[in-house]
Amino acid sequence: MKKNIEHNSIDTKNFKEALNQAVKNVGTAASSTTEKAKTALTKSKDSILKTIDTNGNGEIGIEDFIIIGLQTPGIKVNRADFLQRELMKNYPPDVIESAITHNPAYTQIPACEIDKIADEVIKFERNCVSGISAALGVPGGVAMVATIPADLVQYYGYMLRAAQKLMYLYGFPEIDTTEKEYKFDSETMNLLIICLGVMYGVQGTNTALKAMATALGKGVEKKLMNAALTKGTIYPIVKSVSKWFGVNMTKQVFAGFFKKAIPVVGGVIGGGITYLSFKPCCDKLKESLRDTLLSNPKYHSTKEETIIIDAIEIQEV
């Protein structure tokens, strides 16, 4: 009996030792796996940064997404073609020609009609972006690393396309989105940054956009407008918006990365979130554009806008 007790004690002791060793082995293996996973994630994050950082400043920012977005086929919008296509349903050629030469408000196309077209534009772009988001959001293992920038690029690409269309409907002239040695003009870049800032409700952007519309409506020279965007009155607002986007976009990119590294969220959910977030952004820009001197001849600038306009008019180029 005593021998059996001793034997059982030895077995128990051996079992505990074996168990402890097994736990240690699992811990070592887990630690090794974790380190390998961390290394893989770091390499993937570096790869994403390299893919997105098109302006080469070592950071993820709104400029990168604008550059990639405008280089994506179908994102650039030709103003004349767009207005022709949208207005030909209800207006004769001479009215359409006048709207293209000047703008829809100058041609006295009712504001309610422009609003209807704008709502259809937003609806169309919203359906496009939510569809691509759902497709890219489906878990796909290693390939998912490549879809993270693609998902966001498509989102901001469609947002840029919507912004161009809304600006043309509400009186802005052609935006020069042609590449010059793989780059876009600084003034074009900064104008689009202001528009995206309005869409996201970034402080100061609504005032800046309305001030630019008033300046254009008053016939301020293009070179003065460009100077305001690149080194003058509006430039500090552009820098502030870029900084805001830089912080938030970095979070977006890598939050999305870690979600998709563990594929548990389906594309339908991702698409739904995109679908809900896209329209409010476009609506903000629409509301800002629909009441400016370019879209409403009776518009009166606020005190803050007047300060910017006066500074644009007197600045040296």
Side-chain angles (χ1 to χ4, degrees), residues 82 86 114-130 158-159 161-167 169-170 199 274-290:
F82 167 69
E86 293 299 327
I114 297 301
D115 290 343
K116 286 180 183 177
I117 298 172
D119 289 338
E120 286 301 313
V121 163
I122 293 170
K123 181 180 178 182
F124 175 79
E125 299 299 341
R126 183 193 197 189
N127 288 335
C128 287
V129 75
S130 61
Y158 284 120
M159 194 165 275
R161 191 165 73 178
Q164 292 171 78
K165 290 179 178 180
L166 292 173
M167 291 176 79
L169 283 172
Y170 290 108
M199 294 173 113
T274 303
Y275 187 83
L276 292 173
S277 66
F278 190 83
K279 185 177 185 297
C281 288
C282 291
D283 284 342
K284 285 189 181 78
L285 182 60
K286 175 193 165 187
E287 288 306 308
S288 182
L289 291 170
R290 71 191 298 272

Side-chain angles (χ1 to χ4, degrees), residues 62-292:
I62 190 62
E63 286 192 15
D64 299 315
F65 282 92
I66 290 175
I67 292 169
I68 299 172
L70 290 177
Q71 288 174 340
T72 302
I75 297 302
K76 297 177 186 178
V77 179
N78 180 283
R79 179 178 176 273
D81 290 347
F82 167 69
L83 291 176
Q84 171 76 32
R85 187 171 61 253
E86 293 299 327
L87 298 176
M88 67 185 293
K89 306 165 190 173
N90 299 309
Y91 296 96
D94 59 322
V95 173
I96 297 171
E97 186 61 35
S98 178
I100 293 171
T101 303
H102 302 285
N103 63 50
Y106 176 91
T107 313
Q108 297 185 335
I109 295 175
C112 61
E113 292 298 317
I114 297 301
D115 290 343
K116 286 180 183 177
I117 298 172
D119 289 338
E120 286 301 313
V121 163
I122 293 170
K123 181 180 178 182
F124 175 79
E125 299 299 341
R126 183 193 197 189
N127 288 335
C128 287
V129 75
S130 61
I132 195 69
S133 177
L136 292 174
V138 176
V142 177
M144 194 56 60
V145 173
T147 72
I148 294 149
D151 201 345
L152 287 173
V153 165
Q154 289 286 357
Y155 183 84
Y156 286 103
Y158 284 120
M159 194 165 275
L160 284 169
R161 191 165 73 178
Q164 292 171 78
K165 290 179 178 180
L166 292 173
M167 291 176 79
Y168 296 153
L169 283 172
Y170 290 108
F172 270 74
E174 183 83 35
I175 301 168
D176 184 7
T177 55
T178 54
E179 286 185 72
K180 297 168 181 66
E181 296 180 357
Y182 303 103
K183 292 183 180 180
F184 299 96
D185 287 338
S186 296
E187 53 269 24
T188 298
M189 175 68 70
N190 294 350
L191 174 59
L192 292 172
I193 288 173
I194 290 290
C195 286
L196 290 172
V198 172
M199 294 173 113
Y200 278 88
V202 182
Q203 187 175 4
T205 52
N206 190 57
T207 299
L209 187 63
K210 285 179 176 290
M212 283 191 286
T214 298
L216 288 167
K218 292 172 66 176
V220 170
E221 292 182 31
K222 184 179 178 181
K223 62 181 180 180
L224 290 176
M225 283 296 301
N226 290 347
L229 279 164
T230 56
K231 60 183 180 181
T233 320
I234 300 171
Y235 185 64
I237 300 173
V238 172
K239 297 301 290 181
S240 176
V241 176
S242 294
K243 185 177 179 181
W244 183 90
F245 270 112
V247 172
N248 285 276
M249 294 182 97
T250 301
K251 290 179 182 177
Q252 274 186 296
V253 168
F254 292 120
F257 170 75
F258 285 114
K259 275 184 186 176
K260 291 175 180 180
I262 307 173
V264 294
V265 180
V268 174
I269 296 174
I273 291 170
T274 303
Y275 187 83
L276 292 173
S277 66
F278 190 83
K279 185 177 185 297
C281 288
C282 291
D283 284 342
K284 285 189 181 78
L285 182 60
K286 175 193 165 187
E287 288 306 308
S288 182
L289 291 170
R290 71 191 298 272
D291 191 24
T292 73

